[in-house]
Amino acid sequence: MAGGRMPLALIIDDHPIVVTGFMQTVGATGVCDVVGSISLVEGFRTYRQRRPDAIVLDLSFRDDPFAGLSFLRRFRALGASTPILVFSMHDDPTIVRQVLHVGANGYVQKDVSPEMIREAFLAVLAGSSFLMPEMASKVALLNQPRDRGLLDRLTSREMEILGLISRGHSYTDISSRLGISYKTVANTSSILKTKLSARSLPELMIKSIRLLS
């Protein structure tokens, strides 16, 4: 019990069917109440109003594959310590390592069994951390050397933008931080994709983490 009430969990995911399924999966444990939000703005508003005891957060929202990571980073920057379980389709250990680095308490993939989802959630709700054993091993072994040859090909501006991308900042965030236009950020990111042989923004982010972590 938290403050004389049933503990409360908040799930933030822009797919209503995922929100409903998670609410049913966790609700079946009988250990807490569950509420859902289908946008990050709504999710933060619900957090402010309800003060949940744990948050379950997706990483990808609409056109931004790492909007949830930006949300997590900002959330922790505010000093909020509510346990967060990231619930995502991504299975790359580089992404998982970054999620944990910016403040997640656990990470579980969406294609695991309901039993594993419950186990992950209950661990985070209890204040523990959670990674599936196979993923924990991959993250622990992830220690790739930096490729200085690739980095030496980048301009100072490209390095600035790549560094912010590696920390989960959106194009809008980067534009504001560096005092440049959104179009400049987008164009520079396209150049970075070419130089680093990345076919998409998610792949560019993964490569940026590997190069700069």
Side-chain angles (χ1 to χ4, degrees):
M1 299 290 285
R5 63 169 172 82
M6 176 77 80
L8 179 68
L10 166 65
I11 176 171
I12 309 174
D13 191 301
D14 61 349
H15 295 90
I17 191 168
V18 174
V19 173
T20 299
F22 190 90
M23 291 174 71
Q24 292 173 344
T25 297
V26 171
T29 65
V31 301
C32 66
D33 294 325
V34 189
V35 293
S37 295
I38 58 172
S39 75
L40 292 170
V41 171
E42 178 188 330
F44 187 70
R45 186 182 303 120
T46 302
Y47 164 77
R48 295 285 298 269
Q49 293 171 346
R50 304 291 299 274
R51 297 292 175 177
D53 300 283
I55 296 173
V56 178
L57 176 68
D58 191 11
L59 283 187
S60 302
F61 285 79
R62 295 182 174 85
D63 297 329
D64 188 341
F66 294 106
L69 184 61
S70 296
F71 175 91
L72 174 59
R73 178 182 47 76
R74 291 177 178 177
F75 189 76
R76 292 301 187 221
L78 292 173
S81 59
T82 305
I84 294 181
L85 172 67
V86 170
F87 184 49
S88 174
M89 65 178 184
H90 294 290
D91 61 359
D92 191 299
T94 305
I95 294 176
V96 177
R97 180 175 66 175
Q98 183 71 354
V99 165
L100 298 175
H101 177 70
V102 299
N105 300 80
Y107 190 102
V108 67
Q109 292 164 235
K110 288 186 174 181
D111 60 356
V112 301
S113 68
E115 291 75 20
M116 185 62 70
I117 293 171
R118 284 196 292 268
E119 180 182 345
F121 172 75
L122 291 174
V124 169
L125 180 64
S128 301
S129 58
F130 182 89
L131 277 182
M132 295 178 63
E134 182 179 354
M135 181 58 72
S137 297
K138 290 179 180 179
V139 171
L141 292 172
L142 192 61
N143 186 25
Q144 302 182 23
R146 301 180 185 186
D147 189 331
R148 296 306 311 180
L150 284 177
L151 294 180
D152 288 343
R153 291 164 49 196
L154 305 184
T155 66
S156 58
R157 176 64 81 195
E158 289 166 352
M159 281 294 294
E160 279 184 308
I161 291 176
L162 189 69
L164 291 170
I165 288 173
S166 76
R167 296 195 292 276
H169 290 274
S170 67
Y171 285 179
T172 301
D173 286 341
I174 296 171
S175 171
S176 176
R177 278 175 169 264
L178 299 182
I180 57 179
S181 69
Y182 182 97
K183 183 177 180 180
T184 297
V185 176
N187 288 343
T188 303
S189 294
S190 294
I191 293 171
L192 285 168
K193 288 175 191 175
T194 299
K195 287 187 174 182
L196 301 182
S197 300
R199 292 165 294 182
S200 63
L201 178 57
E203 188 172 336
L204 177 62
M205 183 175 182
I206 290 169
K207 290 200 172 192
S208 72
I209 295 170
R210 286 175 175 164
L211 287 169
L212 302 174
S213 296

